[in-house]
Amino acid sequence: MKNVLVIGSTGQIGSELTMKLRSLYGGNIVAGYIPGSEPHGELLESGPSAIVDITNEQQIAETVSKYHIDTIYNLAALLSAVAEIKTQLAWKIGMDGLFNVLEVAREHHCAVFTPSSIGVFGDNSPKDKTPQDTIRNPRTMYGVTKVAGELLSDYYFIRFGVDTRSVRFPGLISHVTPPGGGTTDYAVDIFYSAIRGEVFECPIAAGTYMDMMYMPDAVRAAIEIMEADPAGFVHRNSFNVTAMSFDPEGIAANIRKYIPDFRMSYQVDPMRQAIADSWPNSLDDTCARAEWGWHPEYDLDGMTQDMLEKLRLKLG
Ligand code: AKB
C-alpha cells in the first residue's frame, strides 16, 4: 500500500504515470493539478485529485497531510524551449517549486522523485556515450534548473535524509498526452504528420542525434528507481537513462518502413537547434543498469510500430 502525490499529473509524463501507479498500488494515488489543467476521463474518475500548485508550499503540505502521502512525484516543469522564453517562470517552478517539495518531504518524511534531463549537459560535456559523472555546464535556463535541482536533491538526502531519487530523461515519445515546448518534441509531432498523410516540417536539422525513450519505458524507470533497494546506489540525483539515439533522418526512415510515402522537409528552428546541438548525441547509462537494474524494452522500431498502431486508433 502506497500513498502517492503526483504533482503535474495531467502533463506528458504525469497522465500515464498516475494511471500506472493506480494500477499497481492500493492507497491514495493523488492526481495533483493546477487550475486550467484539470484531469479528465479515467484520470479523474479512477482516484482522488487535488489542486496542488508547486509554487504554494502550504497547498502541497495540506494535500500530503490529508492523504498521508509517503512518496511525491514532482513532475512540474517548463520544457527546454519554452523555458528559454519564460525564464523567470522556469526558475520559479523548477527551483522554488522543488524547494517547496523538498521542505514538505523533510517535514512529512516523504520520498521524492524529480525527473532530470539530458539538458544538464552542455557544450563542454563529452558528446558520445556521455558518462554518468562528467562536466555539467548547460547554457539554458532549463539545464541550469535541472543541474541545480540535482544538487539540491542530493543535498536534502545528505543533510536531512530525505529519500530523493531521479533519472535524467532523454526526449520522451508518447501517444497519450502531447509534450509542449521541448526540443525533442519533433519526435512526437512527426508521428501525427505521418498518420495524417501530411509532409512533416522538421524543426531540427538532419544529422542532429539525441537520445529518446518511449513513454512505457520512462514510466517504468520512474517507478523502478523508487522501488529499488537503495543499498545498491552509488548515485541518486540523477541517473543517465536511455533507450535509443537517432536523428530526424533515422526516425523518418523507420516510419517509411510502415508508411512508404511519408515525406519530411526541414524548417529548422534556430533556438531549438542550438539547444539540441549542445546536448549529447548519446548517453552512457551503465550506472543505472548496474545500480538498480535499468533496461529499456523499446528500441526505435518497436516504438515506431506501437506509436503508429496507437495513433491510428486515436486519430481514427
Ligand atoms: C525537452 O526537449 O526539453 C525535454 C527534455 C529532453 O528534457 N524533452
Side-chain angles (χ1 to χ4, degrees):
M1 170 115 152
K2 279 182 89 62
N3 295 323
V4 182
L5 168 61
V6 182
I7 299 177
S9 67
T10 56
Q12 194 203 10
I13 304 175
S15 53
E16 292 186 55
L17 177 66
T18 308
M19 294 306 297
K20 188 71 188 178
L21 291 169
R22 283 180 179 160
S23 76
L24 290 176
Y25 303 132
N28 297 315
I29 309 295
V30 183
Y33 65 95
I34 51 170
S37 304
E38 287 78 6
H40 295 288
E42 236 192 325
L43 187 58
L44 176 67
E45 283 148 24
S46 59
S49 51
I51 296 179
V52 181
D53 180 341
I54 195 165
T55 63
N56 184 335
E57 186 182 332
Q58 199 186 331
Q59 220 169 55
I60 304 169
E62 281 169 8
T63 307
V64 163
S65 294
K66 180 173 172 189
Y67 292 100
H68 309 289
I69 297 296
D70 52 65
T71 304
I72 302 174
Y73 279 87
N74 164 25
L75 306 179
L78 293 190
L79 292 183
S80 53
V82 77
E84 283 307 282
I85 295 160
K86 299 181 180 176
T87 48
Q88 291 181 337
L89 185 61
W91 181 269
K92 210 170 154 191
I93 294 173
M95 292 315 303
D96 298 344
L98 173 60
F99 195 80
N100 290 339
V101 170
L102 291 172
E103 271 301 293
V104 172
R106 180 170 72 84
E107 280 166 20
H108 295 261
H109 309 287
C110 302
V112 179
F113 174 87
T114 306
S116 187
S117 161
I118 52 172
V120 297
F121 299 112
D123 285 328
N124 294 345
S125 314
K127 282 269 171 232
D128 296 304
K129 290 272 164 208
T130 307
Q132 171 69 38
D133 300 310
T134 187
I135 299 166
R136 290 170 294 168
N137 66 338
R139 296 287 186 256
T140 60
M141 179 52 90
Y142 182 67
V144 167
T145 60
K146 288 299 183 191
V147 172
E150 290 187 1
L151 295 173
L152 191 64
S153 298
D154 270 339
Y155 176 79
Y156 266 72
F157 171 66
I158 295 159
R159 177 86 167 78
F160 302 118
V162 178
D163 186 0
T164 55
R165 307 180 187 193
S166 171
V167 297
R168 292 177 184 141
F169 278 133
L172 299 181
I173 297 165
S174 135
H175 55 85
V176 177
T177 306
T183 303
T184 57
D185 293 4
Y186 90 89
V188 179
D189 299 338
I190 194 170
F191 285 101
Y192 283 84
S193 293
I195 294 282
R196 290 182 176 131
E198 299 164 355
V199 177
F200 178 61
E201 281 205 344
C202 188
I204 299 294
T208 310
Y209 282 80
M210 287 185 278
D211 283 87
M212 302 280 175
M213 185 181 289
Y214 197 31
M215 191 58 85
D217 275 338
V219 165
R220 202 167 44 74
I223 293 171
E224 285 181 4
I225 192 176
M226 295 312 281
E227 286 187 342
D229 179 355
F233 287 176
V234 177
H235 302 85
R236 271 180 175 267
N237 300 285
S238 175
F239 284 93
N240 284 3
V241 288
T242 189
M244 60 192 97
S245 167
F246 54 74
D247 81 326
E249 292 296 318
I251 186 170
N254 212 275
I255 289 173
R256 273 186 212 109
K257 279 167 63 177
Y258 307 99
I259 306 180
D261 55 359
F262 169 63
R263 283 183 300 138
M264 180 169 75
S265 64
Y266 288 92
Q267 184 76 45
V268 172
D269 170 357
M271 189 177 73
R272 281 186 164 82
Q273 185 62 41
I275 296 173
D277 286 340
S278 75
W279 287 356
N281 297 330
S282 62
L283 288 189
D284 177 350
D285 63 2
T286 47
C287 290
R289 288 170 189 260
E291 292 175 38
W292 50 277
W294 160 248
H295 66 278
E297 282 173 4
Y298 287 87
D299 60 9
L300 173 57
D301 195 49
M303 183 266 291
T304 302
Q305 287 188 51
D306 202 59
M307 274 295 282
L308 292 175
E309 188 188 317
K310 300 280 164 44
L311 275 184
R312 271 197 185 107
L313 288 174
K314 182 175 166 176
L315 303 178

